[in-house]
Structures are given as C-alpha cells and as structure tokens.
C-alpha cells in the first residue's frame, strides 16, 4: 500500500461518515430514532418485540456481534438459537476444508494484506427459499475490520456491506442473479487493507417481515432512486471502528420491531494472511487464503459433509465434478438441495508493511 492509498482511505472515511449520517437521517425522518450512537431502548413488554427471539436478535446487533466468544456462549443464552456461520475453504486438489485443515503452506512471514471479497453466488436450500417467500425479504451483512491501525491513523478501520433482498411477488431472483459484490458498494476503493496481515470478518444473513422498519428503509431507498431492484447493496467503506458500532446500533434499532429469522449469524472471527498475524492472536482463527470459501449454517454441516464427496465449485456454484459448463445453473439447483450456502471469492495479496 502506498501514500495514495492512505489518502484515498482518509477520503473514504470522511465520505462514509457522511453516509452514516445520511442513513441515520433517513432513519430519523421516516422512522423514530432514539438517539444515534446510543443504545436504543430494548424491546418493550407490550408487543412481539418482547419475545425471547426478538430480544436475542436485538442483543446480538447491539452487543454480541463484537464478542468473539459469543458463539460458544449462545447455547445458554435465552432465545439464542440462531444457526452459526461456518466457513469452509475449497481446495481444488483436497476438496472442502475447514479450520486448521486449510494449513499454512505458502503463508507469508509478514507484511500488509490487500484483500478483495466477492460473494459469487447465494444458493438457499429448498426450505430456506420457502422461508424467503413467506417473510418477503432479507439481508446479508458483511463486516471486515483491521486488527492494527494503518500508519498515521490512530483508529482501526472497518468495511461494511449490506445486500437487501426484496423479492418481487414473493419470488427470489433467478439463481444466476443471486450474486453480490461488496466492492461495488465501497466505490473505487474495492479492496480492504489489513496492516500486518490480520483482521476480523463477520457474516450475518437474516430474514424479516417487510413491515419492519429495516425492510421499509430499503423500500424507501429504492423509491428515492426510482428503481425496482431484487437485490440492493449498501456500503460503508473505511469507517472508523467507533462508527461501525454506530452502524450496529442502527441495525439493532431498525430491526427490533419484528422478529428476526436467521439463516446464519457470526460474531467477529479472526482471519490472518501472514505468520506474524497468526502468531499475534490467541484464540480461534482461520487463514485467509486466495481462492473460494463456502459459508453455510452449522446446522447444515452434517448434511454437507455426507454429500460433499465428488463435488466441486464451478462458476461459483457447487456441482458434481463432471458437470458441463452449460448445465451449471440447473445442476446447482439440484445439488445438496437441503444445504444453504454462499460461495465467496477471496483475493489476498501480501506486500511489505509500511513503516
């Protein structure tokens, strides 16, 4: 990364802080807001907001998403029954690998990592496709955070991208259109810089009734643009981590008026692209390696494990190894139909660190 990149990051920081202000303005003008940057009141006892599931979702967005230990404590938390996101790496030679099985062969000793993340395809299971049509909408939210500030900056930066699914006539877009590039929501700075090669990411996919303020917000954005989109992207690039917490609270406040159904959720997960970053963190972690990752709910892992032999990723979809390029879409619809998954393309380049 060079001086030009640092200047671009500063410009994006200022622009995105303005975007957060614009988002909060939309929120406050169209929907009551109880104070930006402050924890909104918890769901009251007078409506469905008081259900354990609603309170658990509110607590997740306002607090637990930034707690790396949340996943291990969820089973004893009232209402904490959401499936957890599991990240699997696809190796063309070894197949589908989880956790430490990815290995550290070829891992750079040290340096800064420039990372690009692209959601290649979203393939809901047959059951989850039905859930979409019953609930009328959903959102995929992706967060990436630096673990070390960039030189000359005192605070770590974060990148947030949100894909809102607004099915028309209660139908999802065709499978070929179920894609999302977070970089397009971040403007010209599509890559994320991890100083010293370490950071965190979260993957959260949830469904809500269109009557919720969250879904109404995206309807409002679509109306203001004069477009009807099945998938709408909203991004906050290179924001200070304190601003990320503000985004968390906005999401908590906007989604609290309707029960949230989760496809999967995750709190901050440490990822590394260098040995220096790997050794600097004690706890659960995963290597960030160039290639394809698959994200699935933990409840679907046993079924995926039983069926994954002989499967490959082709054109961003999981299909049998002998599938023709002409039949990928049709084959993907029939392959592991009981498993919801997202395929994610990752490009990670390590360069000497700036001093």
């Amino acid at each position: 990364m060079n001086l030009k990149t640092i200047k671009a990051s500063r410009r994006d920081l200022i622009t995105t802080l303005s975007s957060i202000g614009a988002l909060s303005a939309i929120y406050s003008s169209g929907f009551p807001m109880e104070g930006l940057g402050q924890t909104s009141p918890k769901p009251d006892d007078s409506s469905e907001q008081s259900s354990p599931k609603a309170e658990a979702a509110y607590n997740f967005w306002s607090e637990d998403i930034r707690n790396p230990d949340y996943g291990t404590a969820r089973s004893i938390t009232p209402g904490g029954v959401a499936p957890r996101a599991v990240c699997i790496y696809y190796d063309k030679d070894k197949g589908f690998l989880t956790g430490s099985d990815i290995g550290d062969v070829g891992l750079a000793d040290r340096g800064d990592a420039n990372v690009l993340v692209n959601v290649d395809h979203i393939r809901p299971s047959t059951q989850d496709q039905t859930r979409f049509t019953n609930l009328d909408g959903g959102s995929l939210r992706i967060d990436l955070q630096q673990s070390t500030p960039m030189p000359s900056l005192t605070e770590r930066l974060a990148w947030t991208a949100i894909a809102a699914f607004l099915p028309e006539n209660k139908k999802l877009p065709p499978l070929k259109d179920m894609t999302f590039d977070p970089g397009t929501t971040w403007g010209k700075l599509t890559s994320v810089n991890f100083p010293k090669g370490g950071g965190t990411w979260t993957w959260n996919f949830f469904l809500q009734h269109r009557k919720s303020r969250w879904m109404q917000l995206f309807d409002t954005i679509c109306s203001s643009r004069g477009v009807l989109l099945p998938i709408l992207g909203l991004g906050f690039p290179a924001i200070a981590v304190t601003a990320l917490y503000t985004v968390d609270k906005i999401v908590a406040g906007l989604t609290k008026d309707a029960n949230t159904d989760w496809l999967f959720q995750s709190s901050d997960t440490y990822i590394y692209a260098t040995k220096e970053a790997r050794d600097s963190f004690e706890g659960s972690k995963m290597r960030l390696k160039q290639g394809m990752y698959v994200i699935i709910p933990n409840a679907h892992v046993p079924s995926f494990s039983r069926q994954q032999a002989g499967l490959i990723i082709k054109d961003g979809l999981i299909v049998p190894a002998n599938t023709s390029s002409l039949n990928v879409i049709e084959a993907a619809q029939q392959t592991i139909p009981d498993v919801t998954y997202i395929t994610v393309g990752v490009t990670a380049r390590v360069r000497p660190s700036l001093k």
Side-chain angles (χ1 to χ4, degrees), residues 62 69 195:
S62 59
D69 297 325

Side-chain angles (χ1 to χ4, degrees), residues 1-273:
M1 186 182 62
N2 53 32
L3 182 59
K4 182 178 180 181
T5 304
I6 294 177
K7 290 180 178 178
S9 297
R10 286 173 173 168
R11 288 196 301 271
D12 286 333
L13 173 59
I14 295 172
T15 300
T16 306
L17 287 175
S18 299
S19 299
I20 291 178
L23 175 60
S24 64
I26 295 173
Y27 182 8
S28 59
S29 62
F31 318 101
M33 179 89 170
E34 293 84 7
L36 178 64
Q38 300 176 359
T39 302
S40 302
K42 288 191 176 184
D44 57 40
D45 296 326
S46 60
S47 69
E48 64 179 358
Q49 297 176 19
S50 62
S51 72
K53 185 168 69 171
E55 184 171 358
Y58 178 88
N59 290 338
F60 174 77
W61 288 120
S62 59
E63 299 175 12
D64 297 327
I65 187 173
R66 303 304 158 205
N67 177 11
D69 297 325
Y70 171 67
T72 59
R74 178 167 54 249
S75 60
I76 61 175
T77 302
V81 293
R84 186 177 184 182
V86 175
C87 295
I88 299 171
Y89 180 74
Y90 174 66
D91 187 292
K92 292 182 179 179
D93 296 321
K94 300 179 181 179
F96 296 93
L97 307 173
T98 59
S100 59
D101 291 338
I102 297 175
D104 288 337
V105 175
L107 184 65
D109 289 335
R110 59 183 54 84
D112 295 341
N114 283 340
V115 178
L116 287 87
V117 175
N118 179 67
V119 176
D120 207 308
H121 274 85
I122 301 164
R123 209 299 304 269
S125 68
T126 302
Q127 180 180 2
D128 284 338
Q129 289 179 41
T130 302
R131 293 172 66 191
F132 260 103
T133 57
N134 288 338
L135 293 175
D136 291 327
S139 288
L140 169 66
R141 175 178 167 184
I142 307 164
D143 301 310
L144 291 91
Q145 288 185 68
Q146 297 173 337
S147 60
T148 302
M150 294 167 57
S152 78
L153 296 181
T154 59
E155 188 168 3
R156 296 179 293 115
L157 300 181
W159 286 255
T160 291
I162 300 169
F165 296 83
L166 306 168
E168 185 176 5
N169 298 323
K170 293 192 174 184
K171 290 184 179 180
L172 284 172
L175 182 57
K176 64 181 179 63
D177 296 329
M178 291 283 282
T179 65
F180 175 57
D181 181 4
T184 61
T185 71
W186 296 334
K188 294 182 179 180
L189 187 62
T190 58
S191 64
V192 175
N193 180 262
F194 287 154
K196 299 186 178 180
T200 64
W201 68 7
T202 66
W203 294 83
N204 290 285
F205 205 157
F206 63 99
L207 307 177
Q208 285 209 310
H209 295 280
R210 188 177 293 275
K211 67 181 181 182
S212 75
R213 292 184 294 172
W214 178 253
M215 300 312 301
Q216 290 178 44
L217 170 64
F218 287 97
D219 281 342
T220 300
I221 294 174
C222 281
S223 297
S224 67
R225 295 181 181 178
V227 295
L228 180 61
L229 299 172
I231 301 177
L232 175 66
L234 179 66
F236 302 101
I239 61 175
V241 169
T242 50
L244 178 67
Y245 298 157
T246 297
V247 174
D248 293 341
K249 296 182 189 305
I250 290 174
V251 175
L254 281 171
T255 59
K256 71 179 182 179
D257 61 334
N259 283 343
T260 296
D261 282 357
W262 294 93
L263 294 184
F264 52 73
Q265 66 176 207
S266 73
S267 55
D268 282 338
T269 301
Y270 189 80
I271 50 179
Y272 64 89

Side-chain angles (χ1 to χ4, degrees), residues 259-310:
N259 283 343
T260 296
D261 282 357
W262 294 93
L263 294 184
F264 52 73
Q265 66 176 207
S266 73
S267 55
D268 282 338
T269 301
Y270 189 80
I271 50 179
Y272 64 89
T274 65
K275 293 179 181 178
E276 180 182 21
R278 178 198 63 191
D279 297 341
S280 68
F281 183 82
E282 296 294 334
S284 178
K285 49 195 168 186
M286 184 181 66
R287 179 180 178 182
L288 195 63
K289 184 178 181 180
Q290 184 153 323
M292 296 294 296
Y293 285 78
V294 181
I295 300 177
I296 66 176
N298 63 337
H300 294 184
V301 170
S303 181
F304 179 77
S305 178
R306 290 191 299 268
Q307 301 177 71
Q308 55 86 27

Side-chain angles (χ1 to χ4, degrees), residues 314-315 319 321-330:
K314 189 169 187 175
D315 297 338
V319 294
N322 60 351
T323 301
S324 164
S325 297
L326 298 176
N327 298 325
V328 168
I329 297 294
E330 182 179 357

